[in-house]
Amino acid sequence: MLLRRLLLACTGLAALAAPAAAQPALQRVLRVAPHADLRTLDPVVASITITRIHGLMVYEALFAWDSKLTPHPQMADRHEVSADGLTHTISLRDGLRFHDGRPVNARDVVASLNRWMARDTIGGKLREYLASLDVVDDRTIALKLTKPLGMVPFALGSAVGAIPVIMREEDARTDPYTPITTAMGSGPFRFNRGEWRPGARVVYDRNPDYVPRGEPADGLAGGRQVKVDRVEWQIMPDPQTAAAALQTGEIDIWEQPSQDLLPLLSRGRDIRVERYTSLSSQVMLRPNHLHPPFNDPRARLALAYATDQSDFLAAGFGDERFWRRCNAYFVCGTVNGTEAGTEGYVTPNLDTARRLLSESGYRGEPLVLTTSYDIAPIGRMAEVAAERLKRAGFNIDLQVADWGTVTTRQQNRNPPSQGGYNLFVTYSSGATMQSPLTNIGTNMGCERAWAGWPCDAEAERLRNAVVEAANEPARLTAVEALHRRLSGVQPYRVLGQFDQPYARRTSISGVLDAPVMLYWNIEKR
Protein backbone atom coordinates (compact mmCIF):
# COMPACT_ATOMS: atom_id res chain seq x y z
CA MET A 1 0.00 0.00 0.00
CA LEU A 2 2.80 2.41 0.89
CA LEU A 3 4.56 1.65 -2.37
CA ARG A 4 1.35 2.34 -4.27
CA ARG A 5 0.95 5.71 -2.53
CA LEU A 6 4.52 6.67 -3.35
CA LEU A 7 4.03 5.75 -6.98
CA LEU A 8 0.84 7.80 -7.14
CA ALA A 9 2.57 10.75 -5.47
CA CYS A 10 5.48 10.60 -7.92
CA THR A 11 3.06 10.36 -10.84
CA GLY A 12 1.19 13.41 -9.58
CA LEU A 13 4.39 15.41 -9.11
CA ALA A 14 5.53 14.48 -12.60
CA ALA A 15 2.20 15.62 -14.03
CA LEU A 16 2.50 18.94 -12.25
CA ALA A 17 6.14 19.41 -13.19
CA ALA A 18 5.74 18.70 -16.91
CA PRO A 19 3.68 21.78 -17.82
CA ALA A 20 5.85 23.99 -15.63
CA ALA A 21 8.98 22.81 -17.45
CA ALA A 22 7.40 23.44 -20.86
CA GLN A 23 5.90 26.79 -19.92
CA PRO A 24 6.59 28.58 -16.59
CA ALA A 25 3.49 29.26 -14.53
CA LEU A 26 4.17 32.98 -14.34
CA GLN A 27 4.77 33.36 -18.06
CA ARG A 28 2.51 35.96 -19.69
CA VAL A 29 1.24 34.41 -22.93
CA LEU A 30 -0.73 36.40 -25.49
CA ARG A 31 -2.84 34.02 -27.57
CA VAL A 32 -4.04 35.24 -30.95
CA ALA A 33 -6.14 33.93 -33.82
CA PRO A 34 -4.31 35.54 -36.78
CA HIS A 35 -6.09 36.33 -40.03
CA ALA A 36 -4.05 33.71 -41.95
CA ASP A 37 -1.48 31.00 -41.53
CA LEU A 38 2.22 31.87 -41.78
CA ARG A 39 3.86 29.99 -44.66
CA THR A 40 6.59 32.38 -45.87
CA LEU A 41 9.16 33.78 -43.43
CA ASP A 42 10.79 36.28 -45.79
CA PRO A 43 9.16 39.76 -45.57
CA VAL A 44 11.15 40.96 -48.59
CA VAL A 45 9.99 38.24 -50.97
CA ALA A 46 6.37 38.15 -49.72
CA SER A 47 4.34 41.34 -49.35
CA ILE A 48 1.33 39.52 -47.84
CA THR A 49 0.14 40.89 -44.52
CA ILE A 50 0.79 37.84 -42.33
CA THR A 51 4.45 37.71 -43.42
CA ARG A 52 4.77 41.45 -42.90
CA ILE A 53 3.46 41.16 -39.32
CA HIS A 54 5.93 38.33 -38.74
CA GLY A 55 8.72 40.47 -40.19
CA LEU A 56 7.92 43.43 -37.96
CA MET A 57 8.09 41.23 -34.87
CA VAL A 58 11.41 39.61 -35.73
CA TYR A 59 13.26 42.39 -37.58
CA GLU A 60 13.64 46.17 -37.51
CA ALA A 61 14.26 48.86 -40.13
CA LEU A 62 16.31 52.07 -40.10
CA PHE A 63 13.19 54.21 -39.76
CA ALA A 64 9.59 53.57 -38.71
CA TRP A 65 6.24 55.25 -39.42
CA ASP A 66 4.17 56.67 -36.59
CA SER A 67 0.36 56.48 -36.55
CA LYS A 68 0.20 59.40 -39.01
CA LEU A 69 2.65 57.65 -41.40
CA THR A 70 5.41 60.13 -40.52
CA PRO A 71 8.87 58.50 -40.44
CA HIS A 72 11.12 58.55 -37.35
CA PRO A 73 14.53 56.95 -36.66
CA GLN A 74 14.27 53.36 -35.43
CA MET A 75 17.54 51.47 -35.89
CA ALA A 76 19.05 54.76 -37.00
CA ASP A 77 20.73 56.99 -34.44
CA ARG A 78 21.76 59.92 -36.63
CA HIS A 79 20.56 60.94 -40.10
CA GLU A 80 22.38 63.77 -41.84
CA VAL A 81 21.67 65.19 -45.30
CA SER A 82 24.32 67.06 -47.29
CA ALA A 83 23.78 70.68 -48.31
CA ASP A 84 22.97 69.68 -51.89
CA GLY A 85 20.42 67.11 -50.71
CA LEU A 86 22.15 64.26 -52.51
CA THR A 87 23.93 62.37 -49.69
CA HIS A 88 22.16 60.79 -46.73
CA THR A 89 24.53 59.60 -43.98
CA ILE A 90 22.89 57.24 -41.49
CA SER A 91 24.45 55.81 -38.32
CA LEU A 92 23.13 52.89 -36.27
CA ARG A 93 22.09 53.27 -32.63
CA ASP A 94 23.72 51.39 -29.78
CA GLY A 95 22.57 48.00 -28.57
CA LEU A 96 21.52 46.42 -31.88
CA ARG A 97 22.19 42.68 -31.92
CA PHE A 98 20.83 39.86 -34.02
CA HIS A 99 19.15 37.03 -32.20
CA ASP A 100 22.30 34.93 -32.58
CA GLY A 101 24.18 37.54 -30.51
CA ARG A 102 26.16 39.21 -33.31
CA PRO A 103 26.08 43.04 -33.45
CA VAL A 104 24.31 44.62 -36.42
CA ASN A 105 26.76 46.45 -38.67
CA ALA A 106 26.71 48.62 -41.76
CA ARG A 107 27.44 45.70 -44.11
CA ASP A 108 24.21 44.06 -42.98
CA VAL A 109 22.38 47.29 -43.73
CA VAL A 110 23.78 47.74 -47.24
CA ALA A 111 23.14 44.13 -48.24
CA SER A 112 19.59 44.26 -46.83
CA LEU A 113 18.68 47.51 -48.57
CA ASN A 114 20.05 46.32 -51.91
CA ARG A 115 17.93 43.18 -51.71
CA TRP A 116 14.82 45.13 -50.68
CA MET A 117 15.20 47.69 -53.47
CA ALA A 118 15.21 44.85 -56.00
CA ARG A 119 11.73 43.73 -54.86
CA ASP A 120 9.66 46.52 -53.36
CA THR A 121 7.54 49.24 -55.00
CA ILE A 122 8.92 52.18 -53.04
CA GLY A 123 12.34 50.52 -52.80
CA GLY A 124 12.45 50.15 -56.57
CA LYS A 125 11.56 53.79 -56.99
CA LEU A 126 14.33 54.81 -54.59
CA ARG A 127 16.80 52.68 -56.54
CA GLU A 128 15.99 54.60 -59.75
CA TYR A 129 17.51 57.67 -58.11
CA LEU A 130 20.36 55.88 -56.36
CA ALA A 131 23.94 56.83 -57.30
CA SER A 132 25.61 54.64 -54.66
CA LEU A 133 25.07 52.89 -51.35
CA ASP A 134 28.28 52.40 -49.37
CA VAL A 135 29.67 51.36 -46.00
CA VAL A 136 31.42 54.29 -44.29
CA ASP A 137 32.41 52.40 -41.14
CA ASP A 138 31.00 49.56 -39.02
CA ARG A 139 28.01 51.64 -37.91
CA THR A 140 27.52 54.11 -40.76
CA ILE A 141 26.26 54.03 -44.36
CA ALA A 142 26.17 56.71 -47.07
CA LEU A 143 23.25 56.74 -49.51
CA LYS A 144 23.90 59.02 -52.51
CA LEU A 145 21.22 60.14 -54.96
CA THR A 146 21.19 61.53 -58.49
CA LYS A 147 18.47 64.05 -57.50
CA PRO A 148 17.40 65.43 -54.11
CA LEU A 149 14.41 63.50 -52.74
CA GLY A 150 12.49 64.05 -49.53
CA MET A 151 11.19 60.49 -49.54
CA VAL A 152 14.27 58.71 -48.15
CA PRO A 153 13.24 58.33 -44.46
CA PHE A 154 9.67 57.52 -45.54
CA ALA A 155 10.93 54.80 -47.88
CA LEU A 156 13.41 53.33 -45.40
CA GLY A 157 10.68 53.13 -42.77
CA SER A 158 8.04 51.57 -45.01
CA ALA A 159 5.62 49.21 -43.27
CA VAL A 160 3.86 48.13 -46.46
CA GLY A 161 4.65 45.90 -49.40
CA ALA A 162 8.03 44.26 -49.04
CA ILE A 163 9.46 45.91 -45.94
CA PRO A 164 13.08 47.21 -45.67
CA VAL A 165 14.06 45.09 -42.68
CA ILE A 166 17.73 44.65 -41.80
CA MET A 167 18.90 41.05 -42.00
CA ARG A 168 22.27 39.45 -41.43
CA GLU A 169 24.52 40.04 -44.42
CA GLU A 170 24.65 36.33 -45.25
CA ASP A 171 20.84 36.18 -45.39
CA ALA A 172 20.51 39.43 -47.30
CA ARG A 173 22.84 38.20 -50.03
CA THR A 174 20.23 35.58 -50.98
CA ASP A 175 18.75 36.14 -54.44
CA PRO A 176 15.85 38.63 -54.06
CA TYR A 177 13.48 36.16 -55.70
CA THR A 178 14.47 33.23 -53.48
CA PRO A 179 12.76 33.23 -50.06
CA ILE A 180 15.10 32.94 -47.10
CA THR A 181 14.13 30.24 -44.62
CA THR A 182 15.83 31.76 -41.56
CA ALA A 183 14.22 34.34 -39.26
CA MET A 184 17.25 35.83 -37.52
CA GLY A 185 16.51 39.49 -36.93
CA SER A 186 17.33 42.02 -34.23
CA GLY A 187 13.73 42.86 -33.30
CA PRO A 188 11.78 42.61 -30.05
CA PHE A 189 10.60 39.03 -30.64
CA ARG A 190 12.41 35.81 -31.48
CA PHE A 191 10.75 33.36 -33.84
CA ASN A 192 10.46 30.00 -32.07
CA ARG A 193 11.14 27.62 -34.94
CA GLY A 194 11.03 24.55 -32.72
CA GLU A 195 7.36 25.17 -31.89
CA TRP A 196 6.27 26.24 -35.37
CA ARG A 197 3.52 23.97 -36.68
CA PRO A 198 2.34 25.20 -40.12
CA GLY A 199 -1.43 25.12 -40.22
CA ALA A 200 -1.68 24.97 -36.42
CA ARG A 201 0.59 27.29 -34.41
CA VAL A 202 3.29 29.97 -34.65
CA VAL A 203 5.20 31.04 -31.54
CA TYR A 204 7.28 34.13 -30.73
CA ASP A 205 9.27 34.68 -27.55
CA ARG A 206 10.23 38.04 -26.08
CA ASN A 207 13.81 38.90 -26.98
CA PRO A 208 15.48 39.50 -23.59
CA ASP A 209 18.46 41.22 -25.23
CA TYR A 210 16.41 43.76 -27.15
CA VAL A 211 17.03 47.42 -26.24
CA PRO A 212 13.99 49.58 -27.17
CA ARG A 213 14.19 53.23 -28.05
CA GLY A 214 13.39 55.70 -25.29
CA GLU A 215 10.50 57.49 -27.00
CA PRO A 216 6.86 56.52 -26.35
CA ALA A 217 5.36 54.05 -28.81
CA ASP A 218 3.41 55.66 -31.67
CA GLY A 219 2.42 53.38 -34.54
CA LEU A 220 5.58 51.54 -35.52
CA ALA A 221 7.78 54.34 -34.20
CA GLY A 222 9.20 54.85 -30.73
CA GLY A 223 9.96 52.32 -28.03
CA ARG A 224 8.94 48.77 -28.88
CA GLN A 225 8.32 47.65 -25.31
CA VAL A 226 7.32 43.99 -25.14
CA LYS A 227 5.03 43.45 -22.14
CA VAL A 228 4.32 39.73 -22.54
CA ASP A 229 6.73 36.81 -22.52
CA ARG A 230 5.33 34.97 -25.46
CA VAL A 231 2.93 35.40 -28.38
CA GLU A 232 1.19 32.33 -29.74
CA TRP A 233 -0.71 32.43 -33.02
CA GLN A 234 -3.38 29.73 -32.98
CA ILE A 235 -4.43 29.08 -36.58
CA MET A 236 -8.25 29.04 -36.67
CA PRO A 237 -9.58 29.32 -40.22
CA ASP A 238 -13.13 28.51 -39.09
CA PRO A 239 -14.80 31.76 -37.86
CA GLN A 240 -17.15 29.96 -35.47
CA THR A 241 -14.21 28.24 -33.80
CA ALA A 242 -12.34 31.53 -33.41
CA ALA A 243 -15.41 33.31 -32.03
CA ALA A 244 -15.98 30.58 -29.46
CA ALA A 245 -12.30 30.64 -28.45
CA LEU A 246 -12.45 34.40 -27.89
CA GLN A 247 -15.65 34.14 -25.86
CA THR A 248 -14.24 31.45 -23.57
CA GLY A 249 -10.86 33.14 -23.17
CA GLU A 250 -8.93 30.47 -25.05
CA ILE A 251 -7.56 33.32 -27.18
CA ASP A 252 -7.06 36.98 -26.27
CA ILE A 253 -7.22 38.62 -29.72
CA TRP A 254 -8.94 37.74 -32.99
CA GLU A 255 -7.15 39.71 -35.71
CA GLN A 256 -9.88 39.78 -38.34
CA PRO A 257 -13.25 38.61 -37.02
CA SER A 258 -15.87 37.63 -39.54
CA GLN A 259 -18.19 40.56 -40.23
CA ASP A 260 -21.33 38.49 -39.70
CA LEU A 261 -20.18 37.64 -36.17
CA LEU A 262 -19.43 41.21 -35.11
CA PRO A 263 -22.90 41.83 -33.57
CA LEU A 264 -22.52 38.69 -31.45
CA LEU A 265 -19.02 39.62 -30.31
CA SER A 266 -20.00 43.22 -29.58
CA ARG A 267 -22.59 42.00 -27.08
CA GLY A 268 -19.99 40.10 -25.07
CA ARG A 269 -19.33 41.68 -21.68
CA ASP A 270 -15.65 40.70 -21.76
CA ILE A 271 -15.02 41.49 -25.46
CA ARG A 272 -14.31 44.73 -27.31
CA VAL A 273 -14.52 45.20 -31.09
CA GLU A 274 -12.34 48.06 -32.33
CA ARG A 275 -10.44 49.39 -35.34
CA TYR A 276 -6.66 49.12 -35.17
CA THR A 277 -6.07 51.65 -37.94
CA SER A 278 -7.79 54.85 -39.02
CA LEU A 279 -7.25 54.16 -42.77
CA SER A 280 -9.72 52.02 -44.70
CA SER A 281 -8.39 48.98 -46.57
CA GLN A 282 -8.80 48.58 -50.34
CA VAL A 283 -10.15 45.56 -52.25
CA MET A 284 -8.86 44.68 -55.70
CA LEU A 285 -9.42 42.25 -58.56
CA ARG A 286 -5.90 41.67 -59.87
CA PRO A 287 -5.31 40.41 -63.43
CA ASN A 288 -2.12 38.75 -64.64
CA HIS A 289 -0.73 41.06 -67.33
CA LEU A 290 1.72 38.50 -68.69
CA HIS A 291 -0.82 36.24 -70.44
CA PRO A 292 -3.87 36.72 -72.65
CA PRO A 293 -6.36 38.22 -72.43
CA PHE A 294 -5.18 40.60 -69.70
CA ASN A 295 -1.97 41.52 -71.50
CA ASP A 296 -4.37 43.76 -73.48
CA PRO A 297 -5.65 46.85 -71.61
CA ARG A 298 -9.07 46.49 -73.23
CA ALA A 299 -9.64 43.17 -71.45
CA ARG A 300 -8.57 44.76 -68.16
CA LEU A 301 -10.90 47.71 -68.72
CA ALA A 302 -13.68 45.19 -69.40
CA LEU A 303 -13.27 44.05 -65.77
CA ALA A 304 -14.18 47.55 -64.62
CA TYR A 305 -17.30 47.76 -66.79
CA ALA A 306 -18.40 44.26 -65.82
CA THR A 307 -18.32 44.70 -62.05
CA ASP A 308 -20.37 46.53 -59.44
CA GLN A 309 -18.37 47.23 -56.29
CA SER A 310 -21.38 46.87 -54.01
CA ASP A 311 -21.83 43.21 -55.02
CA PHE A 312 -18.32 42.37 -53.86
CA LEU A 313 -18.33 44.48 -50.72
CA ALA A 314 -21.69 43.22 -49.52
CA ALA A 315 -20.56 39.63 -50.03
CA GLY A 316 -17.23 40.19 -48.32
CA PHE A 317 -18.12 42.51 -45.47
CA GLY A 318 -21.87 42.46 -44.94
CA ASP A 319 -23.36 45.59 -43.42
CA GLU A 320 -22.71 48.71 -45.50
CA ARG A 321 -21.59 50.50 -42.32
CA PHE A 322 -18.28 48.70 -42.78
CA TRP A 323 -17.64 49.51 -46.48
CA ARG A 324 -17.96 52.16 -49.16
CA ARG A 325 -17.78 52.37 -52.95
CA CYS A 326 -14.64 54.08 -54.14
CA ASN A 327 -12.79 54.07 -57.47
CA ALA A 328 -9.70 55.88 -56.18
CA TYR A 329 -6.51 53.87 -56.56
CA PHE A 330 -5.04 55.90 -53.68
CA VAL A 331 -7.98 55.51 -51.26
CA CYS A 332 -10.95 57.83 -50.85
CA GLY A 333 -10.65 60.13 -47.86
CA THR A 334 -6.90 60.64 -48.20
CA VAL A 335 -5.04 63.57 -49.71
CA ASN A 336 -4.39 61.46 -52.83
CA GLY A 337 -7.95 60.12 -53.09
CA THR A 338 -8.89 61.45 -56.54
CA GLU A 339 -11.24 59.39 -58.74
CA ALA A 340 -10.28 61.23 -61.92
CA GLY A 341 -10.77 59.17 -65.07
CA THR A 342 -13.15 56.59 -63.56
CA GLU A 343 -16.40 58.34 -64.45
CA GLY A 344 -17.24 55.96 -67.32
CA TYR A 345 -17.49 52.81 -65.22
CA VAL A 346 -19.05 54.07 -61.99
CA THR A 347 -22.14 52.17 -63.20
CA PRO A 348 -21.57 48.71 -64.74
CA ASN A 349 -22.18 48.33 -68.47
CA LEU A 350 -22.10 44.72 -69.67
CA ASP A 351 -22.45 45.68 -73.33
CA THR A 352 -19.31 47.82 -73.12
CA ALA A 353 -17.52 45.07 -71.21
CA ARG A 354 -18.39 42.50 -73.91
CA ARG A 355 -17.27 44.84 -76.69
CA LEU A 356 -13.92 45.56 -75.05
CA LEU A 357 -13.38 41.89 -74.34
CA SER A 358 -14.04 40.99 -77.98
CA GLU A 359 -11.73 43.75 -79.22
CA SER A 360 -8.95 42.34 -77.01
CA GLY A 361 -9.04 39.09 -79.00
CA TYR A 362 -10.52 36.94 -76.24
CA ARG A 363 -12.49 33.97 -77.58
CA GLY A 364 -13.76 32.22 -74.48
CA GLU A 365 -10.64 30.44 -73.28
CA PRO A 366 -10.80 29.27 -69.63
CA LEU A 367 -9.44 31.86 -67.19
CA VAL A 368 -8.11 30.67 -63.84
CA LEU A 369 -9.35 32.67 -60.83
CA THR A 370 -7.41 31.39 -57.81
CA THR A 371 -8.73 31.94 -54.30
CA SER A 372 -9.06 30.61 -50.75
CA TYR A 373 -11.72 30.48 -48.06
CA ASP A 374 -9.06 30.63 -45.34
CA ILE A 375 -9.72 34.37 -45.46
CA ALA A 376 -13.49 34.20 -45.77
CA PRO A 377 -14.18 37.62 -47.38
CA ILE A 378 -11.67 36.89 -50.14
CA GLY A 379 -13.29 33.54 -50.93
CA ARG A 380 -16.78 35.05 -50.99
CA MET A 381 -15.73 37.94 -53.22
CA ALA A 382 -14.00 35.53 -55.62
CA GLU A 383 -17.32 33.70 -55.96
CA VAL A 384 -18.98 36.99 -56.88
CA ALA A 385 -16.21 37.70 -59.42
CA ALA A 386 -16.71 34.32 -61.08
CA GLU A 387 -20.46 34.79 -61.33
CA ARG A 388 -20.45 38.44 -62.48
CA LEU A 389 -17.65 38.03 -65.03
CA LYS A 390 -19.40 35.08 -66.66
CA ARG A 391 -22.29 37.43 -67.45
CA ALA A 392 -19.89 39.60 -69.44
CA GLY A 393 -18.48 36.69 -71.46
CA PHE A 394 -15.49 35.65 -69.35
CA ASN A 395 -15.09 31.87 -69.02
CA ILE A 396 -14.00 31.66 -65.37
CA ASP A 397 -12.44 28.57 -63.81
CA LEU A 398 -12.62 29.19 -60.03
CA GLN A 399 -9.87 27.19 -58.30
CA VAL A 400 -9.86 27.03 -54.49
CA ALA A 401 -6.87 26.16 -52.29
CA ASP A 402 -5.44 27.07 -48.89
CA TRP A 403 -4.17 30.63 -48.56
CA GLY A 404 -0.53 29.60 -48.46
CA THR A 405 -0.90 27.84 -51.80
CA VAL A 406 -2.76 30.80 -53.30
CA THR A 407 -0.12 33.32 -52.27
CA THR A 408 2.65 31.05 -53.56
CA ARG A 409 0.84 30.68 -56.86
CA GLN A 410 0.52 34.46 -57.14
CA GLN A 411 4.29 34.59 -57.73
CA ASN A 412 4.16 32.00 -60.55
CA ARG A 413 4.78 33.66 -63.92
CA ASN A 414 3.96 30.55 -65.96
CA PRO A 415 0.79 30.30 -68.06
CA PRO A 416 -2.28 29.12 -66.13
CA SER A 417 -1.99 25.68 -67.75
CA GLN A 418 1.47 25.38 -66.15
CA GLY A 419 0.62 26.44 -62.61
CA GLY A 420 0.07 30.16 -63.17
CA TYR A 421 -3.22 32.08 -63.04
CA ASN A 422 -5.25 34.84 -64.67
CA LEU A 423 -6.98 36.56 -61.75
CA PHE A 424 -7.20 36.78 -57.98
CA VAL A 425 -9.12 38.86 -55.44
CA THR A 426 -7.30 40.32 -52.48
CA TYR A 427 -7.17 43.40 -50.30
CA SER A 428 -4.49 45.60 -48.82
CA SER A 429 -4.20 48.16 -46.06
CA GLY A 430 -5.00 51.81 -46.64
CA ALA A 431 -1.47 52.66 -45.53
CA THR A 432 -0.16 50.60 -48.43
CA MET A 433 -2.50 51.92 -51.08
CA GLN A 434 -2.82 55.62 -50.18
CA SER A 435 0.36 56.80 -51.91
CA PRO A 436 1.78 56.35 -55.44
CA LEU A 437 5.07 55.58 -53.70
CA THR A 438 3.77 52.58 -51.77
CA ASN A 439 0.73 51.33 -53.69
CA ILE A 440 1.90 47.87 -54.72
CA GLY A 441 -0.75 47.50 -57.41
CA THR A 442 -0.06 50.72 -59.34
CA ASN A 443 3.63 50.00 -59.78
CA MET A 444 3.66 49.29 -63.53
CA GLY A 445 7.40 48.72 -63.73
CA CYS A 446 7.21 45.37 -65.57
CA GLU A 447 9.67 42.95 -63.96
CA ARG A 448 9.88 45.18 -60.89
CA ALA A 449 6.13 45.19 -60.36
CA TRP A 450 4.15 43.14 -57.87
CA ALA A 451 2.39 39.84 -58.77
CA GLY A 452 0.49 40.40 -62.01
CA TRP A 453 3.50 42.32 -63.41
CA PRO A 454 1.82 45.27 -65.15
CA CYS A 455 4.00 47.16 -67.59
CA ASP A 456 3.32 50.73 -68.73
CA ALA A 457 6.09 53.24 -69.38
CA GLU A 458 3.77 56.26 -69.35
CA ALA A 459 2.31 55.36 -65.94
CA GLU A 460 5.85 55.02 -64.58
CA ARG A 461 6.82 58.39 -66.07
CA LEU A 462 3.84 59.98 -64.34
CA ARG A 463 4.70 58.24 -61.06
CA ASN A 464 8.19 59.74 -61.30
CA ALA A 465 6.58 63.15 -61.73
CA VAL A 466 4.85 62.65 -58.37
CA VAL A 467 8.17 61.74 -56.73
CA GLU A 468 9.98 64.73 -58.22
CA ALA A 469 7.26 67.37 -57.70
CA ALA A 470 8.69 70.56 -56.24
CA ASN A 471 5.74 71.40 -53.97
CA GLU A 472 2.40 70.09 -52.79
CA PRO A 473 0.18 71.68 -55.49
CA ALA A 474 2.48 70.30 -58.18
CA ARG A 475 2.44 66.90 -56.52
CA LEU A 476 -1.36 66.75 -56.39
CA THR A 477 -1.55 67.75 -60.05
CA ALA A 478 0.85 64.94 -60.86
CA VAL A 479 -1.23 62.48 -58.80
CA GLU A 480 -4.35 63.36 -60.78
CA ALA A 481 -2.55 62.91 -64.12
CA LEU A 482 -1.22 59.55 -62.95
CA HIS A 483 -4.67 58.48 -61.81
CA ARG A 484 -6.23 59.27 -65.20
CA ARG A 485 -3.62 57.09 -66.87
CA LEU A 486 -4.17 54.24 -64.42
CA SER A 487 -7.93 54.40 -64.95
CA GLY A 488 -7.37 53.74 -68.63
CA VAL A 489 -4.76 50.98 -68.43
CA GLN A 490 -6.23 49.30 -65.30
CA PRO A 491 -3.35 47.67 -63.40
CA TYR A 492 -6.19 46.22 -61.31
CA ARG A 493 -9.90 46.75 -60.81
CA VAL A 494 -10.54 48.72 -57.61
CA LEU A 495 -13.44 47.05 -55.81
CA GLY A 496 -13.93 49.66 -53.08
CA GLN A 497 -12.78 49.88 -49.48
CA PHE A 498 -13.72 48.64 -46.03
CA ASP A 499 -12.89 48.95 -42.34
CA GLN A 500 -11.58 45.78 -40.72
CA PRO A 501 -11.96 45.69 -36.93
CA TYR A 502 -10.24 43.34 -34.54
CA ALA A 503 -11.71 41.81 -31.37
CA ARG A 504 -9.99 41.51 -27.98
CA ARG A 505 -10.71 40.41 -24.47
CA THR A 506 -11.08 43.30 -22.00
CA SER A 507 -8.00 41.96 -20.20
CA ILE A 508 -5.93 43.17 -23.19
CA SER A 509 -4.81 46.78 -23.63
CA GLY A 510 -2.20 48.79 -25.51
CA VAL A 511 -2.98 47.87 -29.14
CA LEU A 512 -1.37 50.54 -31.31
CA ASP A 513 -2.84 52.42 -34.31
CA ALA A 514 -0.72 51.08 -37.17
CA PRO A 515 -0.97 49.67 -40.72
CA VAL A 516 -0.99 46.12 -39.31
CA MET A 517 -1.53 44.50 -35.94
CA LEU A 518 1.52 45.00 -33.70
CA TYR A 519 2.32 42.87 -30.67
CA TRP A 520 4.61 45.10 -28.68
CA ASN A 521 3.09 47.58 -26.18
CA ILE A 522 0.25 45.11 -25.50
CA GLU A 523 -0.48 44.27 -21.87
CA LYS A 524 -2.41 41.29 -20.56
CA ARG A 525 -3.95 41.58 -17.10
Side-chain angles (χ1 to χ4, degrees), residues 33-92:
H35 70 279
D37 188 17
L38 178 70
R39 296 298 181 91
T40 305
L41 301 180
D42 189 341
V44 174
V45 164
S47 59
I48 56 176
T49 302
I50 193 67
T51 297
R52 199 179 330 143
I53 296 173
H54 157 83
L56 290 168
M57 295 175 77
V58 174
Y59 299 96
E60 285 192 291
L62 293 177
F63 293 83
W65 294 349
D66 66 16
S67 56
K68 305 299 183 184
L69 308 186
T70 301
H72 300 270
Q74 188 60 35
M75 295 178 80
D77 179 30
R78 295 191 313 277
H79 172 218
E80 299 173 351
V81 184
S82 62
D84 60 8
L86 296 179
T87 301
H88 293 252
T89 304
I90 302 169
S91 298
L92 295 171

Side-chain angles (χ1 to χ4, degrees), residues 226-436:
V226 177
K227 300 179 180 180
V228 295
D229 298 301
R230 178 181 174 100
V231 176
E232 293 182 358
W233 291 354
Q234 306 289 344
I235 310 304
M236 297 181 178
D238 177 59
Q240 298 289 346
T241 301
L246 185 67
Q247 289 171 314
T248 60
E250 181 184 344
I251 60 172
D252 304 299
I253 293 175
W254 186 6
E255 265 190 14
Q256 291 189 9
S258 177
Q259 295 281 348
D260 57 355
L261 293 174
L262 291 179
L264 172 66
L265 296 175
S266 298
R267 291 195 295 270
R269 185 177 62 183
D270 298 323
I271 295 174
R272 297 291 180 268
V273 176
E274 300 168 337
R275 294 173 66 180
Y276 63 81
T277 178
S278 53
L279 278 174
S280 297
S281 296
Q282 184 186 82
V283 186
M284 69 174 82
L285 176 60
R286 180 71 161 185
N288 188 333
H289 295 235
L290 296 181
H291 307 295
F294 300 117
N295 57 343
D296 190 306
R298 290 170 292 190
R300 302 194 299 269
L301 191 56
L303 295 175
Y305 281 97
T307 49
D308 187 331
Q309 292 182 343
S310 60
D311 294 335
F312 291 85
L313 296 169
F317 308 105
D319 195 314
E320 195 169 354
R321 290 177 299 168
F322 299 114
W323 54 264
R324 65 179 288 187
R325 299 166 185 82
C326 170
N327 281 304
Y329 279 101
F330 306 122
V331 184
C332 290
T334 72
V335 67
N336 298 318
T338 177
E339 296 182 86
T342 68
E343 296 82 6
Y345 52 79
V346 169
T347 301
N349 188 321
L350 291 182
D351 289 336
T352 300
R354 295 187 187 102
R355 174 180 59 79
L356 288 167
L357 194 55
S358 176
E359 290 174 358
S360 74
Y362 177 66
R363 296 296 178 264
E365 298 84 355
L367 302 176
V368 173
L369 170 56
T370 179
T371 195
S372 173
Y373 289 100
D374 289 357
I375 303 178
I378 287 178
R380 293 195 296 264
M381 289 188 290
E383 280 188 10
V384 171
E387 192 273 328
R388 296 296 188 268
L389 293 178
K390 286 176 182 176
R391 295 182 185 179
F394 294 88
N395 179 9
I396 300 297
D397 176 12
L398 183 65
Q399 297 187 8
V400 180
D402 64 88
W403 184 239
T405 298
V406 169
T407 55
T408 300
R409 191 173 187 177
Q410 288 172 3
Q411 303 302 319
N412 191 328
R413 296 171 182 249
N414 291 330
S417 61
Q418 299 175 28
Y421 63 93
N422 296 107
L423 291 162
F424 63 86
V425 176
T426 192
Y427 51 78
S428 190
S429 70
T432 301
M433 310 309 276
Q434 54 83 37
S435 168

